[in-house]
mmCIF file with all atom_site columns, all heavy atoms in Angstrom:
data_model
loop_
_atom_site.group_PDB
_atom_site.id
_atom_site.type_symbol
_atom_site.label_atom_id
_atom_site.label_alt_id
_atom_site.label_comp_id
_atom_site.label_asym_id
_atom_site.label_entity_id
_atom_site.label_seq_id
_atom_site.pdbx_PDB_ins_code
_atom_site.Cartn_x
_atom_site.Cartn_y
_atom_site.Cartn_z
_atom_site.occupancy
_atom_site.B_iso_or_equiv
_atom_site.pdbx_formal_charge
_atom_site.auth_seq_id
_atom_site.auth_comp_id
_atom_site.auth_asym_id
_atom_site.auth_atom_id
_atom_site.pdbx_PDB_model_num
ATOM 1  N N   . ARG L 1 172 ? 55.356 -23.114 39.280 1.00 90.00 ? 210 ARG L N   1
ATOM 2  C CA  . ARG L 1 172 ? 54.765 -24.428 39.239 1.00 90.00 ? 210 ARG L CA  1
ATOM 3  C C   . ARG L 1 172 ? 53.261 -24.426 39.365 1.00 90.00 ? 210 ARG L C   1
ATOM 4  O O   . ARG L 1 172 ? 52.539 -25.229 38.857 1.00 90.00 ? 210 ARG L O   1
ATOM 5  C CB  . ARG L 1 172 ? 55.354 -25.277 40.407 1.00 90.00 ? 210 ARG L CB  1
ATOM 6  C CG  . ARG L 1 172 ? 55.221 -26.779 40.184 1.00 90.00 ? 210 ARG L CG  1
ATOM 7  C CD  . ARG L 1 172 ? 56.067 -27.529 41.207 1.00 90.00 ? 210 ARG L CD  1
ATOM 8  N NE  . ARG L 1 172 ? 56.145 -28.946 40.944 1.00 90.00 ? 210 ARG L NE  1
ATOM 9  C CZ  . ARG L 1 172 ? 56.856 -29.776 41.605 1.00 90.00 ? 210 ARG L CZ  1
ATOM 10 N NH1 . ARG L 1 172 ? 57.637 -29.329 42.555 1.00 90.00 ? 210 ARG L NH1 1
ATOM 11 N NH2 . ARG L 1 172 ? 56.819 -31.072 41.325 1.00 90.00 ? 210 ARG L NH2 1
ATOM 12 N N   . ASP L 1 206 ? 48.355 -5.776  30.662 1.00 91.00 ? 244 ASP L N   1
ATOM 13 C CA  . ASP L 1 206 ? 48.992 -6.923  30.121 1.00 91.00 ? 244 ASP L CA  1
ATOM 14 C C   . ASP L 1 206 ? 49.220 -6.791  28.656 1.00 91.00 ? 244 ASP L C   1
ATOM 15 O O   . ASP L 1 206 ? 48.492 -7.279  27.804 1.00 91.00 ? 244 ASP L O   1
ATOM 16 C CB  . ASP L 1 206 ? 48.072 -8.169  30.426 1.00 91.00 ? 244 ASP L CB  1
ATOM 17 C CG  . ASP L 1 206 ? 48.763 -9.456  29.932 1.00 91.00 ? 244 ASP L CG  1
ATOM 18 O OD1 . ASP L 1 206 ? 50.001 -9.441  29.732 1.00 91.00 ? 244 ASP L OD1 1
ATOM 19 O OD2 . ASP L 1 206 ? 48.121 -10.464 29.802 1.00 91.00 ? 244 ASP L OD2 1
ATOM 20 N N   . TYR L 1 221 ? 60.223 11.016  30.256 1.00 91.00 ? 259 TYR L N   1
ATOM 21 C CA  . TYR L 1 221 ? 59.758 11.585  31.548 1.00 91.00 ? 259 TYR L CA  1
ATOM 22 C C   . TYR L 1 221 ? 60.892 12.381  32.225 1.00 91.00 ? 259 TYR L C   1
ATOM 23 O O   . TYR L 1 221 ? 60.616 13.051  33.170 1.00 91.00 ? 259 TYR L O   1
ATOM 24 C CB  . TYR L 1 221 ? 59.326 10.410  32.460 1.00 91.00 ? 259 TYR L CB  1
ATOM 25 C CG  . TYR L 1 221 ? 57.890 9.980   32.296 1.00 91.00 ? 259 TYR L CG  1
ATOM 26 C CD1 . TYR L 1 221 ? 57.587 8.686   32.044 1.00 91.00 ? 259 TYR L CD1 1
ATOM 27 C CD2 . TYR L 1 221 ? 56.875 10.956  32.458 1.00 91.00 ? 259 TYR L CD2 1
ATOM 28 C CE1 . TYR L 1 221 ? 56.280 8.237   31.927 1.00 91.00 ? 259 TYR L CE1 1
ATOM 29 C CE2 . TYR L 1 221 ? 55.551 10.485  32.323 1.00 91.00 ? 259 TYR L CE2 1
ATOM 30 C CZ  . TYR L 1 221 ? 55.219 9.170   32.078 1.00 91.00 ? 259 TYR L CZ  1
ATOM 31 O OH  . TYR L 1 221 ? 53.946 8.786   31.985 1.00 91.00 ? 259 TYR L OH  1
ATOM 32 N N   . SER L 1 248 ? 76.483 -3.506  33.540 1.00 82.00 ? 286 SER L N   1
ATOM 33 C CA  . SER L 1 248 ? 77.913 -3.724  33.473 1.00 82.00 ? 286 SER L CA  1
ATOM 34 C C   . SER L 1 248 ? 78.490 -3.101  32.279 1.00 82.00 ? 286 SER L C   1
ATOM 35 O O   . SER L 1 248 ? 77.948 -3.213  31.175 1.00 82.00 ? 286 SER L O   1
ATOM 36 C CB  . SER L 1 248 ? 78.167 -5.242  33.452 1.00 82.00 ? 286 SER L CB  1
ATOM 37 O OG  . SER L 1 248 ? 79.528 -5.459  33.188 1.00 82.00 ? 286 SER L OG  1
ATOM 38 N N   . SER L 1 267 ? 63.611 -11.115 25.790 1.00 69.00 ? 305 SER L N   1
ATOM 39 C CA  . SER L 1 267 ? 62.183 -10.650 25.885 1.00 69.00 ? 305 SER L CA  1
ATOM 40 C C   . SER L 1 267 ? 61.712 -10.088 24.538 1.00 69.00 ? 305 SER L C   1
ATOM 41 O O   . SER L 1 267 ? 60.564 -10.320 24.125 1.00 69.00 ? 305 SER L O   1
ATOM 42 C CB  . SER L 1 267 ? 62.020 -9.537  26.978 1.00 69.00 ? 305 SER L CB  1
ATOM 43 O OG  . SER L 1 267 ? 61.987 -10.125 28.214 1.00 69.00 ? 305 SER L OG  1
ATOM 44 N N   . VAL L 1 387 ? 58.249 29.115  57.092 1.00 30.00 ? 425 VAL L N   1
ATOM 45 C CA  . VAL L 1 387 ? 58.765 28.264  58.138 1.00 30.00 ? 425 VAL L CA  1
ATOM 46 C C   . VAL L 1 387 ? 60.241 28.687  58.523 1.00 30.00 ? 425 VAL L C   1
ATOM 47 O O   . VAL L 1 387 ? 60.626 28.741  59.680 1.00 30.00 ? 425 VAL L O   1
ATOM 48 C CB  . VAL L 1 387 ? 58.724 26.817  57.815 1.00 30.00 ? 425 VAL L CB  1
ATOM 49 C CG1 . VAL L 1 387 ? 59.431 25.883  58.841 1.00 30.00 ? 425 VAL L CG1 1
ATOM 50 C CG2 . VAL L 1 387 ? 57.274 26.346  57.739 1.00 30.00 ? 425 VAL L CG2 1
ATOM 51 N N   . ALA L 1 392 ? 58.508 35.888  59.751 1.00 33.00 ? 430 ALA L N   1
ATOM 52 C CA  . ALA L 1 392 ? 57.247 35.722  59.088 1.00 33.00 ? 430 ALA L CA  1
ATOM 53 C C   . ALA L 1 392 ? 56.087 35.733  60.155 1.00 33.00 ? 430 ALA L C   1
ATOM 54 O O   . ALA L 1 392 ? 56.204 35.301  61.255 1.00 33.00 ? 430 ALA L O   1
ATOM 55 C CB  . ALA L 1 392 ? 57.223 34.320  58.405 1.00 33.00 ? 430 ALA L CB  1
ATOM 56 N N   . ALA L 1 471 ? 42.202 11.643  73.418 1.00 79.00 ? 509 ALA L N   1
ATOM 57 C CA  . ALA L 1 471 ? 42.938 12.677  74.230 1.00 79.00 ? 509 ALA L CA  1
ATOM 58 C C   . ALA L 1 471 ? 44.192 13.129  73.514 1.00 79.00 ? 509 ALA L C   1
ATOM 59 O O   . ALA L 1 471 ? 44.444 14.368  73.394 1.00 79.00 ? 509 ALA L O   1
ATOM 60 C CB  . ALA L 1 471 ? 43.265 12.041  75.541 1.00 79.00 ? 509 ALA L CB  1
ATOM 61 N N   . LYS L 1 479 ? 42.982 11.590  81.744 1.00 80.00 ? 517 LYS L N   1
ATOM 62 C CA  . LYS L 1 479 ? 42.445 12.015  82.957 1.00 80.00 ? 517 LYS L CA  1
ATOM 63 C C   . LYS L 1 479 ? 41.562 13.222  82.835 1.00 80.00 ? 517 LYS L C   1
ATOM 64 O O   . LYS L 1 479 ? 40.458 13.325  83.467 1.00 80.00 ? 517 LYS L O   1
ATOM 65 C CB  . LYS L 1 479 ? 43.561 12.272  84.009 1.00 80.00 ? 517 LYS L CB  1
ATOM 66 C CG  . LYS L 1 479 ? 44.234 10.915  84.479 1.00 80.00 ? 517 LYS L CG  1
ATOM 67 C CD  . LYS L 1 479 ? 45.323 11.237  85.494 1.00 80.00 ? 517 LYS L CD  1
ATOM 68 C CE  . LYS L 1 479 ? 45.966 9.977   86.006 1.00 80.00 ? 517 LYS L CE  1
ATOM 69 N NZ  . LYS L 1 479 ? 47.092 10.279  86.959 1.00 80.00 ? 517 LYS L NZ  1
ATOM 70 N N   . ALA L 1 507 ? 48.865 23.531  79.715 1.00 44.00 ? 545 ALA L N   1
ATOM 71 C CA  . ALA L 1 507 ? 50.157 24.144  79.678 1.00 44.00 ? 545 ALA L CA  1
ATOM 72 C C   . ALA L 1 507 ? 51.186 23.184  78.966 1.00 44.00 ? 545 ALA L C   1
ATOM 73 O O   . ALA L 1 507 ? 51.052 21.984  79.076 1.00 44.00 ? 545 ALA L O   1
ATOM 74 C CB  . ALA L 1 507 ? 50.647 24.497  81.066 1.00 44.00 ? 545 ALA L CB  1
ATOM 75 N N   . ALA L 1 538 ? 62.631 3.959   74.671 1.00 76.00 ? 576 ALA L N   1
ATOM 76 C CA  . ALA L 1 538 ? 61.996 4.361   73.405 1.00 76.00 ? 576 ALA L CA  1
ATOM 77 C C   . ALA L 1 538 ? 62.217 5.868   73.193 1.00 76.00 ? 576 ALA L C   1
ATOM 78 O O   . ALA L 1 538 ? 62.552 6.289   72.049 1.00 76.00 ? 576 ALA L O   1
ATOM 79 C CB  . ALA L 1 538 ? 60.549 3.978   73.399 1.00 76.00 ? 576 ALA L CB  1
ATOM 80 N N   . LEU L 1 542 ? 67.355 4.287   72.906 1.00 82.00 ? 580 LEU L N   1
ATOM 81 C CA  . LEU L 1 542 ? 68.355 3.394   73.454 1.00 82.00 ? 580 LEU L CA  1
ATOM 82 C C   . LEU L 1 542 ? 68.092 1.961   73.044 1.00 82.00 ? 580 LEU L C   1
ATOM 83 O O   . LEU L 1 542 ? 66.952 1.491   73.158 1.00 82.00 ? 580 LEU L O   1
ATOM 84 C CB  . LEU L 1 542 ? 68.330 3.479   75.034 1.00 82.00 ? 580 LEU L CB  1
ATOM 85 C CG  . LEU L 1 542 ? 68.579 4.867   75.652 1.00 82.00 ? 580 LEU L CG  1
ATOM 86 C CD1 . LEU L 1 542 ? 68.487 4.755   77.164 1.00 82.00 ? 580 LEU L CD1 1
ATOM 87 C CD2 . LEU L 1 542 ? 69.917 5.380   75.230 1.00 82.00 ? 580 LEU L CD2 1
#
Side-chain angles (χ1 to χ4, degrees):
R210 200 169 188 176
D244 185 17
Y259 273 126
S286 168
S305 282
V425 171
K517 287 181 180 179
L580 302 178

